[in-house]
Amino acid sequence: MNMSDDYYLELSENPVQFENASSVNNVFFDEANKQVFAVRSGGATGVVVKGPDDKSSVAFRMEDKGEVKCIKFSLGNKILAVQRTLKSVDFKNFIPDYPHLEFSHECKTKNASILGFCWTNWNEVVFITDQGIEFYQVLPDKRTLKLLKSQNINVNWYVYCPETAVLLLSTTVQGNVLQPFAFKTATMSKMTKFEIELPVVPKPAKLSLSERDIAVATIYDQLYVMYLKHHSRTTNSPGAEVTLYHLPREGTCKKTHVLKLNTTGKFALNVVDNLVVVHHQSSQTSLIFDIKLRESEGPVSAHQPVLPARSINPCKIPLTDSSSWSVFQPDIIISASEGYLWYLQVKLQPTLNLLQDKGKLMDFLLRRRDCKMVILSVCSQMLVGANKGNLSVVATVFDKLNQVYKEYLDAEQAYTTAMESGPSRSSMSYKRPVRTQAVIDQSDMYTHVLSEFTERKGVNHKFIIAVLMEYIRSLNQFQISVQHYLYELVIKTLVQHNLFYMLHQFLQYHVLSDSKPLACLLLSLESTYPASHQLSLDMLKRLSTANDEIVEVLLSKQQVLGALRFIRSVGGHDNISARKFLDASRQTSDTMLFYTIFRFFEQRNMRLRGNPVFNQGEHCEEHVAYFKQVFGESALMKPATV
Amino acid sequence: MLMIRPRMASGTQEKQYTPSLLSFFIYNPKFGPREGEEEKKILFYHPIEIEKNEKIRNVGLCEAIVQFTRTFCPTKPAKSLHTQKNRQVFHEPEENYWMVMVVRNPMVEKPNKDGKPPTVEYQEDEIIDSVYGSVLKQCYSMYKLFNGTFSRAFDAGGVELLIQKLEKFFYRYLQTLHLQSCDLLDVFGGIAFFPLDKMTYLKIQSFVNRVEESLSLVKYTAFLYNDQLIWSGLEQEDMRILFKYLTTSLFPRHTEPELAGRDSPLRPELTGNLLHYGRFLTGPANLKDPDAKFRFPRIFVNTEDSYEELHLIVYKAMSAAVCFMVNAAVDLSREFCEQLDSLVGPQLTLLASDICEQYNINRRISGPEKEPQFKFIYFNHMNLAEKSTIHMRKTTSVSLTSVHPDLMKILGDINCDFARVDEDEEIIVKAMTDYWVVGKKSDQRELYVILNQKNANLIEVNEEVKRLCATQFNNIFFLD
C-alpha cells in the first residue's frame, strides 16, 4: 500500500493566499466571516481582505491612526470595525450611499479596557471589556451606536462562536467559571454559567484556565465547549485529555465526553465533519475522535481515537514550518508567516484500511458527509478478495445501512402524510427531510455492489446467495419493501447454478414477494424447471389483479376449459373475447371442446343480448362457419321464440 | 413366518385379517443365467426359512411374468400380479435388479357350524397396487439412502458385499413395515412443511448460511420444526426419503423416551455463559462422556450424478431439528462436535423459541384453531407438499388414521383414476356409510375431502368443498 494512501487528513486544494505577516504587514483573522485582513502600515498603504471565496475579498485604504489591535467586518461586509485603543472601537460604513467617514465609540464603563469585540449581526456588535459586556446597535446613517444591553461582570478573557452567536466569558480569579451569553437580533440572553474542572486547584488562587485551552464548536448540531486538559502528574490519566461540555440552549451545561489523547505536549483542536481533530505539535500528527462512537455507557463517555495518529497529508502542503501555524474553529489552519489559509478536510477512503472492525467503520462512515462512495466500496470490499468479511459482518453492515435508509424513508413518509393532510392542520412546520449521502438505497447497492458481485468470477455461489438473502433479510427486518430487481438477481443466480429446488423453497415461503414481473420471469423458466409454471400461476392468483394474465397462460397451454372456468369463477366471463377462446379451442383439434366453448358463447350472447348470434365486432365469422361445417347449420342455437 | 393380526372382531365370531407381508425378495437374473445356477440370482429372500427350491420357483415365476409381459410393452413390464390369496408387486430400481414384495390379501374368516373348518374369504379388491408399489419403491429408496445403489456395492465388493448389505439392512427394515396401515400417503411420499412467516424464515436462512460458513465441513443442511420441513439444502428426491426416515424412525425413537420421562432433554447445557438445549440425535448422546463415540450414520445422496456419501448429523434444540451433512471422507472428531455444539446450540435454542413465538402469533391472528369440519389430504406433486387432517401423529410403530379403512380405500381408488389421465378432474363419491368423498385434481395438485353430511346432496357437497378451497387454499391457483 502506498503510504500516501494512509493519510486521512489533508488541507484544502486551493488555499486562500494573502500577503504574509511582516514588520510592515499585520495579519488578522475574523472567524465570523472567515476573512483574513492584511493591514499594511496601519492601513495607510492598504488593507486587503481575503475571504473564503473571491466575492468576499475587498481592498481599501484607511488612515493610519495607530496600531490596529483588531479589525472585522460586520456580516455582509456592511460595516468595518477597527480597534486601536483599549477604550474605543472605530467604525466605518461600507454601505454604498452612506457616509464613509469613520466614527468612534468609547466603551461606557469607566476605567474598563476593551478586550475585544464581536459582530453578532450586520449592525449589532458586542464589546467585551474586563468589567463586562456592552451590546450595541450601530446606526450607520447617524454614525452612532445605541446601547441595547449591558452586563457587569469581571472578565479574564472571552471566546466567541459566530455560528451560534454564543459568547463565553471567563470569570472568577481562577478563570474556570464560564458565563455564556447568546445573541439574537437585538436581544442578549444570559445562559447558565458552568465550571470547568481543573486538574489541580492552585493555592493561592490564580488564573489557571487559559483561552488557548478552550474552543467552542458545533458537533452534530449541538454546541460543545472543548477543554484541553493538560497532563498532570497528580491525576492518574496517562496523557492529556479533551473534555467536552455540552452547552444546550436551555438548561445547564454538562460534562459529557472525554477524549483520551494518550500522550502529552502541545495540542490544537479543529472540528471537521463533526469529528474532533486534535493536532499534536511535537509529533506533527493528528488524532480524530467521533463522539457518537460510544465505547462506554454512563453520563460521561470516554473515547479513544477512531484511527491511529497520522500526519496531515504532506504532499498537499508547500514546504512550511507547521509549528507556526494557527488553528481556528472549526476547520481553519493559517500560516501567517507564509500567507496561507487552508480548510482542514477528512479523507474517508484511507479509513477503510485503518479500521478493521467493519461494524465500527460503518458507524463512523455513516455519519460523515461525503460517505456514499466510500461506504459502497466498503461493501464491495467485504464481499470479495483477501479482506472478505464473514456473513455476520456482512449482516451487521447491511443492518446498519438499512437502519439509516429506513429512518429516511420514515421521515419522507411522515412528511408526505403531513403535506397531504394540509400544512394548516399541523402546527409544526414540516421540513422535507434531507437525504444525506448516508442513505444507501437498494438501487445504490444493486448498481455499485451486488450486480457486480454476482457476476464476479471465482466467487462461491453459495456465498453469493447467502449475501443476497442476508440483504433481503435485513431489508425485511426494517420493513423496507424489496425492489423487484433484487429478486431478479436472486433468481438469476439460482438459475445459473441450477438451484431450482432452492428457488422453489424461497417462493414457497414468499421470501420473494409476489409481483407480475416476477410471475412472468417464472413463466419463462418453465422449460428448464417445469414447477415454475405452477409457482407463476399461484403468484398471479394471489396478486388478484392478474386475471387476464392467468387466462393467457392457461390458453397458451391449451387449457381452454380451465381458462373459462377460472374467469367464470372470478366473474369476468361477460367481458372476455369469444374469439380468443374459440381460436384456442380450434387449435386443440378437439371438436367436442370447440363445440362446448362455442355453445358457451352462444348462451352468453343469448343472456346479454337475447340473441345467440355473434356480433360483427367479435370477429367470429370464421368460427361460425367452421361450426356449421362440422356440426351442421341446425346445431346452431336458435333465437328464443316467444 | 405368517404375521396375521385380526383387525376387528365384528359380530359373532367372524374374524377379519389385515394385509400382511408374505415374502420379500431381490434378485438379478444376470447372476445365474445358466440352468442349475438359479440360486445365484437370489440376493435376498425373506423369510429366510423358505426352502431353496421354493425360493427358486418363486423367483422364476416373477422372472417369467416380467419377461412375458415385456413382449406386449417392452418399456412397461408388469408391475403386479393379482391372485386370490395374495398380491405380488414388482419393481426394477436398477437395471436387472428386481425387488418383489408379496402381500397376503386381507381376509375374513367365517366360522362354520358342525365343527367344520372355517371358511376363508379373501378380499383381493381391498388392496391397491399403487400403495404397495410405492411401499416397495420406498424400501429401495431407504436402502439406497443408507447403502448407496446395488450396482455400486456390487462393483466394490461383488455379490458377497451386496448380499451382506442387503441382509443387514432389510432384516431390520422389513420388521418396521406396517402394511396394514399403508395408504394414500405412502403413494404420495410427501413432505409436511411447517407454515412460517417470511421474516422468521429469513432468519433461519441466515442461520443456516452462517453455520455452513463457520463449519466449512458442512455441505448440506436441512432444517425442521415440529417434525415438519422448513429448509432443505438437499435436492427434492433425497430430502423426500430423508424426511421419511427422520419423521417415521429417528424422531419418534427420540420422542418416545422423552414422553416417558426418561433421559429428560430439558436439562439445558451451559456453553460459555449461554444456556442452550441443543443435543445430538445421531452421534454422541453426551458430549461430556469421555467414552463418547463420534460415529454418525452415513447416507448417500445425488446417486444419479455426483454420488456423495455423507455423515448425517442430526442436532436438535427444543422443537427445532437440524441435519448437517458432512462429506463422509472426513473423520468427525470430538473437537468438531464440540465446536458444532457450542456454535449451534445457543443459536438454535434462540431460533426455536423465535419460531414458536411467531407461530403462536400467526395462529392467534388467523383465529383460534378450529377443528375443521372436513377431513382432507392435500398433495402437490411439484414440491411434494403434503397435508393431512386424517392422519394422527406418526410413531415408530403405526400411523393412525381417524377414518374408516373403507374410506381410505376410496381415496386410493380415486387417486388411481387421477393417475391415469393428465386432465384436471373432479370425482365425488357417496360412500356406503353416508360419507361423501371428494377428489379434486388441478394441474399438479390433488385434494381429497371426506365430508360427514348424511343428508347433503351433490350440489351441497360441491359447495362445501368450494368453501374449503376458498379458506384453506386461497393463496394457490386451484381451479374450482
Side-chain angles (χ1 to χ4, degrees):
Chain A
M1 187 174 61
N2 189 339
M3 270 310 285
S4 71
D5 292 345
D6 216 1
Y7 301 107
Y8 51 80
L9 285 170
E10 66 180 19
L11 299 177
S12 49
E13 200 96 27
N14 302 308
V16 177
Q17 287 189 41
F18 53 90
E19 190 181 344
N20 60 307
S22 65
S23 53
V24 289
N25 184 41
N26 286 330
V27 176
F28 300 89
F29 178 65
D30 170 22
E31 286 174 286
N33 292 325
K34 306 198 188 322
Q35 289 170 323
V36 181
F37 289 76
V39 183
R40 286 183 67 88
S41 321
T45 49
V47 177
V48 179
V49 185
K50 289 279 185 79
D53 49 63
D54 290 340
K55 261 193 289 180
S56 50
S57 296
V58 194
F60 57 90
R61 279 169 202 278
M62 60 184 191
E63 213 178 312
D64 184 359
K65 292 182 180 169
E67 196 201 343
V68 174
K69 288 180 180 301
C70 183
I71 180 165
K72 288 172 187 173
F73 268 119
S74 72
L75 302 184
N77 293 357
K78 296 283 195 291
I79 304 164
L80 179 74
V82 186
Q83 188 196 352
R84 296 183 173 102
T85 70
L86 288 172
K87 293 287 168 201
S88 66
V89 177
D90 305 326
F91 296 89
K92 186 177 178 181
N93 288 331
F94 270 68
I95 310 162
D97 309 330
Y98 274 67
H100 284 205
L101 273 177
E102 272 190 25
F103 53 100
S104 186
H105 191 87
E106 243 177 65
C107 68
K108 80 174 181 69
T109 320
K110 291 222 162 57
N111 303 324
S113 312
I114 299 176
L115 301 174
F117 65 90
C118 304
W119 286 103
T120 61
N121 203 339
W122 76 271
N123 63 345
E124 284 163 19
V125 70
V126 56
F127 290 5
I128 301 99
T129 73
D130 53 357
Q131 291 174 36
I133 53 174
E134 296 166 15
F135 184 36
Y136 293 103
Q137 186 176 40
V138 182
L139 306 167
D141 48 341
K142 295 183 182 141
R143 299 174 57 229
T144 58
L145 270 66
K146 185 180 125 193
L147 182 71
L148 294 170
K149 210 166 179 186
S150 66
Q151 175 89 36
N152 288 327
I153 181 168
N154 283 328
V155 181
N156 303 309
W157 45 262
Y158 72 95
V159 176
Y160 179 66
C161 172
E163 258 179 281
T164 51
V166 168
L167 179 67
L168 276 186
L169 304 178
S170 158
T171 67
T172 71
V173 180
Q174 294 175 57
N176 66 328
V177 175
L178 300 184
Q179 173 63 61
F181 288 91
F183 296 88
K184 207 175 170 182
T185 43
T187 60
M188 169 181 108
S189 48
K190 191 175 179 178
M191 294 160 74
T192 322
K193 68 180 173 191
F194 63 98
E195 193 178 323
I196 300 281
E197 285 170 37
L198 296 172
V200 244
V201 181
K203 291 223 169 103
K206 60 167 182 163
L207 188 60
S208 314
L209 184 66
S210 152
E211 60 182 303
R212 282 196 308 275
D213 296 334
I214 292 289
V216 184
T218 313
I219 306 170
Y220 294 119
D221 294 323
Q222 296 296 315
L223 189 60
Y224 286 92
V225 175
M226 299 186 283
Y227 164 49
L228 189 58
K229 187 173 172 186
H230 293 282
H231 176 67
S232 136
R233 276 175 229 291
T234 52
T235 57
N236 47 15
S237 165
E241 292 174 351
V242 175
T243 312
L244 264 60
Y245 292 82
H246 177 218
L247 186 55
R249 277 273 157 204
E250 269 153 40
T252 52
C253 184
K254 279 196 200 84
K255 177 174 158 183
T256 51
H257 301 85
V258 174
L259 316 182
K260 303 279 186 188
L261 306 183
N262 306 318
T263 178
T264 58
K266 272 181 126 178
F267 299 95
L269 300 173
N270 272 136
V271 172
V272 184
D273 203 1
N274 293 314
L275 294 167
V276 180
V277 182
V278 184
H279 308 286
H280 184 227
Q281 200 192 46
S282 60
S283 69
Q284 300 271 306
T285 59
S286 309
L287 292 169
I288 59 173
F289 293 88
D290 182 351
I291 58 168
K292 281 206 178 169
L293 276 186
R294 277 192 168 268
E295 275 142 22
S296 58
E297 292 302 310
V300 179
S301 57
H303 298 265
Q304 291 295 332
V306 181
L307 301 168
R310 287 288 184 271
S311 305
I312 297 169
N313 192 352
C315 36
K316 296 278 173 72
I317 308 173
L319 287 168
T320 62
D321 173 18
S322 57
S323 60
S324 70
W325 289 359
S326 315
V327 171
F328 295 91
Q329 295 316 314
D331 57 352
I332 288 163
I333 294 178
I334 291 176
S335 169
S337 58
E338 238 74 31
Y340 286 109
L341 179 153
W342 296 279
Y343 290 94
L344 184 64
Q345 293 167 343
V346 174
K347 272 202 315 180
L348 297 177
Q349 198 67 38
T351 59
L352 250 79
N353 300 315
L354 291 171
L355 199 56
Q356 290 312 315
D357 179 339
K358 291 277 190 291
K360 201 170 152 190
L361 175 63
M362 218 23 99
D363 286 336
F364 173 77
L365 290 176
L366 281 168
R367 287 192 281 267
R368 306 285 75 85
R369 205 170 34 220
D370 299 317
C371 57
K372 185 166 186 161
M373 292 323 287
V374 182
I375 288 176
L376 290 168
S377 65
V378 172
C379 291
S380 294
Q381 196 202 44
M382 75 182 174
L383 299 180
V384 289
N387 288 326
K388 200 178 93 169
N390 61 29
L391 281 174
S392 49
V393 169
V394 172
T396 309
V397 168
F398 286 162
D399 285 348
K400 286 182 189 293
L401 293 181
N402 287 330
Q403 167 139 30
V404 176
Y405 178 27
K406 172 68 175 171
E407 279 161 13
Y408 170 73
L409 290 177
D410 283 350
E412 182 78 10
Q413 179 63 42
Y415 172 76
T416 314
T417 318
M419 286 300 105
E420 276 163 7
S421 65
S424 56
R425 286 185 57 189
S426 59
S427 55
M428 273 190 15
S429 63
Y430 270 102
K431 260 197 286 179
R432 192 182 188 92
V434 183
R435 182 178 173 144
T436 66
Q437 286 211 8
V439 178
I440 308 284
D441 64 18
Q442 296 172 64
S443 113
D444 295 328
M445 280 301 282
Y446 176 85
T447 317
H448 298 281
V449 182
L450 297 174
S451 66
E452 194 192 333
F453 165 62
T454 54
E455 268 161 31
R456 245 184 125 94
K457 296 270 176 295
V459 183
N460 179 359
H461 66 261
K462 222 170 169 177
F463 184 66
I464 294 179
I465 293 156
V467 167
L468 293 176
M469 292 316 285
E470 206 55 69
Y471 189 56
I472 289 173
R473 187 227 16 102
S474 179
L475 290 169
N476 271 290
Q477 193 158 312
F478 288 97
Q479 294 164 326
I480 301 167
S481 55
V482 181
Q483 296 293 317
H484 171 250
Y485 45 76
L486 287 176
Y487 294 143
E488 223 169 89
L489 206 55
V490 172
I491 295 176
K492 209 181 80 188
T493 313
L494 292 170
V495 169
Q496 236 166 39
H497 296 94
N498 274 316
L499 298 168
F500 290 103
Y501 189 42
M502 219 181 243
L503 172 62
H504 201 135
Q505 295 183 66
F506 289 159
L507 288 161
Q508 199 176 319
Y509 281 95
H510 307 297
V511 166
L512 311 178
S513 305
D514 299 342
S515 72
K516 269 190 208 178
L518 197 56
C520 293
L521 182 59
L522 286 172
L523 217 49
S524 71
L525 295 174
E526 197 195 340
S527 56
T528 31
Y529 188 61
S532 59
H533 173 73
Q534 189 189 64
L535 290 167
S536 171
L537 271 184
D538 290 352
M539 194 175 277
L540 290 170
K541 163 87 185 299
R542 285 192 297 269
L543 286 169
S544 79
T545 54
N547 294 339
D548 293 344
E549 283 83 351
I550 292 177
V551 168
E552 292 298 333
V553 170
L554 293 174
L555 288 182
S556 74
K557 293 249 137 196
Q558 303 204 326
Q559 294 179 5
V560 189
L561 218 48
L564 198 55
R565 281 168 68 196
F566 167 74
I567 201 73
R568 200 173 55 178
S569 74
V570 296
H573 53 295
D574 282 353
N575 304 316
I576 46 170
S577 149
R579 190 197 156 104
K580 196 188 273 179
F581 280 78
L582 290 169
D583 280 349
S585 61
R586 273 281 290 280
Q587 274 164 24
T588 63
S589 349
D590 175 348
T591 47
M592 275 328 287
L593 178 68
F594 178 75
Y595 182 90
T596 311
I597 300 293
F598 192 89
R599 186 62 92 216
F600 173 85
F601 283 106
E602 278 188 323
Q603 281 165 354
R604 182 179 84 167
N605 294 341
M606 189 73 198
R607 186 162 42 82
L608 297 179
R609 296 191 299 266
N611 191 329
V613 177
F614 287 92
N615 268 353
Q616 225 171 21
E618 294 182 89
H619 302 292
C620 292
E621 297 79 7
E622 180 201 341
H623 295 300
V624 174
Y626 177 75
F627 186 87
K628 283 190 213 160
Q629 181 202 320
V630 177
F631 303 105
E633 182 131 24
S634 58
L636 284 173
M637 199 171 152
K638 307 278 174 310
T641 46
V642 187
Chain B
M1 190 181 80
L2 274 176
M3 302 240 305
I4 301 173
R5 278 181 227 141
R7 191 168 63 194
M8 52 181 190
S10 65
T12 52
Q13 286 111 10
E14 211 176 272
K15 262 185 178 173
Q16 174 124 29
Y17 293 89
T18 57
S20 60
L21 184 67
L22 211 55
S23 59
F24 181 98
F25 46 92
I26 300 167
Y27 67 91
N28 186 332
K30 298 279 179 244
F31 290 172
R34 276 189 291 266
E35 269 202 50
E37 289 183 347
E38 286 88 352
E39 199 189 354
K40 290 187 179 169
K41 293 177 191 170
I42 306 171
L43 301 167
F44 176 78
Y45 203 106
H46 163 91
I48 201 152
E49 313 81 65
I50 302 287
E51 196 263 323
K52 188 179 97 177
N53 284 326
E54 195 187 334
K55 285 184 189 170
I56 292 172
R57 263 203 313 279
N58 288 341
V59 169
L61 176 64
C62 293
E63 226 186 309
I65 289 166
V66 169
Q67 276 309 328
F68 173 67
T69 52
R70 249 202 190 127
T71 55
F72 300 104
C73 179
T75 53
K76 285 185 188 166
K79 284 182 175 151
S80 67
L81 175 68
H82 297 210
T83 65
Q84 188 201 15
K85 292 185 181 174
N86 57 44
R87 175 91 40 113
Q88 304 197 13
V89 194
F90 315 122
H91 178 47
E92 186 189 21
E94 293 174 40
E95 203 183 351
N96 293 318
Y97 285 97
W98 285 89
M99 296 173 81
V100 180
M101 184 166 78
V102 184
V103 181
R104 175 174 293 274
N105 289 338
M107 56 189 187
V108 182
E109 208 179 62
K110 287 177 180 157
N112 278 326
K113 288 167 198 163
D114 318 326
K116 273 193 233 163
T119 320
V120 174
E121 201 174 281
Y122 289 96
Q123 299 171 311
E124 61 245 55
D125 292 338
E126 289 302 304
I127 66 174
I128 303 169
D129 277 343
S130 60
V131 171
Y132 294 100
S134 302
V135 170
L136 187 58
K137 283 178 189 145
Q138 229 169 54
C139 287
Y140 171 72
S141 301
M142 200 62 88
Y143 170 83
K144 193 181 69 168
L145 180 68
F146 291 103
N147 296 280
T149 59
F150 296 155
S151 51
R152 282 270 175 151
F154 177 74
D155 293 347
V159 184
E160 293 76 28
L161 180 69
L162 180 56
I163 289 176
Q164 201 188 330
K165 277 178 170 268
L166 290 172
E167 280 176 355
K168 196 176 163 209
F169 178 79
F170 282 108
Y171 176 73
R172 294 255 303 268
Y173 186 72
L174 291 180
Q175 293 176 21
T176 66
L177 282 184
H178 298 283
L179 295 186
Q180 74 280 9
S181 56
C182 291
D183 59 31
L184 188 58
L185 283 195
D186 293 285
V187 176
F188 294 145
I191 295 172
F193 285 92
F194 187 78
L196 200 61
D197 67 292
K198 175 162 73 172
M199 195 55 230
T200 318
Y201 183 80
L202 283 166
K203 277 191 201 165
I204 293 169
Q205 270 297 313
S206 182
F207 161 81
V208 169
N209 288 334
R210 287 185 207 190
V211 173
E212 285 187 7
E213 187 185 54
S214 314
L215 304 171
S216 51
L217 284 178
V218 175
K219 225 169 161 187
Y220 305 105
T221 308
F223 195 108
L224 295 95
Y225 189 86
N226 264 349
D227 299 359
Q228 290 167 305
L229 186 66
I230 292 179
W231 166 251
S232 164
L234 282 183
E235 287 302 312
Q236 203 177 44
E237 275 308 310
D238 290 324
M239 193 61 230
R240 179 186 224 167
I241 193 69
L242 179 62
F243 182 80
K244 171 91 185 164
Y245 163 70
L246 294 172
T247 53
T248 59
S249 177
L250 185 71
F251 293 159
R253 270 211 307 277
H254 281 84
T255 42
E256 277 163 6
E258 274 171 32
L259 294 174
R262 282 178 284 134
D263 301 335
S264 171
L266 298 174
R267 197 172 350 98
E269 284 295 317
L270 211 64
T271 301
N273 50 358
L274 289 163
L275 213 57
H276 75 81
Y277 292 89
R279 68 205 168 98
F280 288 90
L281 293 195
T282 59
N286 182 3
L287 271 181
K288 295 203 175 67
D289 179 0
D291 300 323
K293 294 274 188 295
F294 298 93
R295 275 207 298 270
F296 293 89
R298 288 171 177 228
I299 59 167
F300 294 79
V301 300
N302 292 326
T303 49
E304 294 291 304
D305 37 66
S306 51
Y307 202 85
E308 296 165 82
E309 187 177 354
L310 306 163
H311 292 292
L312 174 65
I313 304 171
V314 184
Y315 189 88
K316 194 173 181 187
M318 306 206 273
S319 298
V322 192
C323 304
F324 297 109
M325 286 154 267
V326 176
N327 188 344
V330 182
D331 273 327
L332 294 179
S333 60
R334 172 182 288 271
E335 288 67 44
F336 177 80
C337 292
E338 280 171 354
Q339 195 194 350
L340 190 148
D341 184 61
S342 63
L343 178 80
V344 175
Q347 288 191 57
L348 191 60
T349 305
L350 212 64
L351 208 47
S353 64
D354 262 15
I355 298 170
C356 180
E357 195 180 321
Q358 270 308 316
Y359 179 64
N360 287 336
I361 289 171
N362 293 346
R363 269 219 312 220
R364 226 172 297 139
I365 291 168
S366 62
E369 184 99 43
K370 289 168 285 190
E371 177 63 23
Q373 274 196 27
F374 320 92
K375 306 270 185 196
F376 71 86
I377 296 179
Y378 163 84
F379 181 69
N380 181 354
H381 287 272
M382 285 286 121
N383 60 358
L384 307 181
E386 170 187 282
K387 192 174 177 183
S388 169
T389 59
I390 291 174
H391 293 76
M392 318 283 192
R393 218 181 156 73
K394 282 185 177 170
T395 65
T396 33
S397 44
V398 273
S399 93
L400 298 166
T401 56
S402 57
V403 300
H404 193 271
D406 292 347
L407 291 171
M408 290 310 293
K409 168 75 172 41
I410 295 174
L411 298 185
D413 287 338
I414 296 176
N415 171 258
C416 289
D417 286 337
F418 285 163
R420 267 195 284 276
V421 275
D422 264 350
E423 303 281 306
D424 291 357
E425 276 189 359
E426 185 164 337
I427 296 174
I428 303 181
V429 177
K430 175 135 194 210
M432 299 295 282
T433 44
D434 284 335
Y435 280 94
W436 286 90
V437 179
V438 182
K440 276 166 78 80
K441 182 186 170 203
S442 169
D443 192 23
Q444 297 293 324
R445 294 182 166 102
E446 291 176 32
L447 175 69
Y448 301 86
V449 185
I450 297 173
L451 293 162
N452 180 17
Q453 280 165 334
K454 228 183 211 171
N455 301 318
N457 60 33
L458 194 62
I459 293 167
E460 287 162 346
V461 167
N462 195 33
E463 288 299 313
E464 277 301 322
V465 174
K466 264 191 184 169
R467 214 169 311 146
L468 171 75
C469 290
T471 54
Q472 298 273 334
F473 303 104
N474 61 343
N475 59 353
I476 56 170
F477 185 79
F478 202 70
L479 269 181
D480 289 325

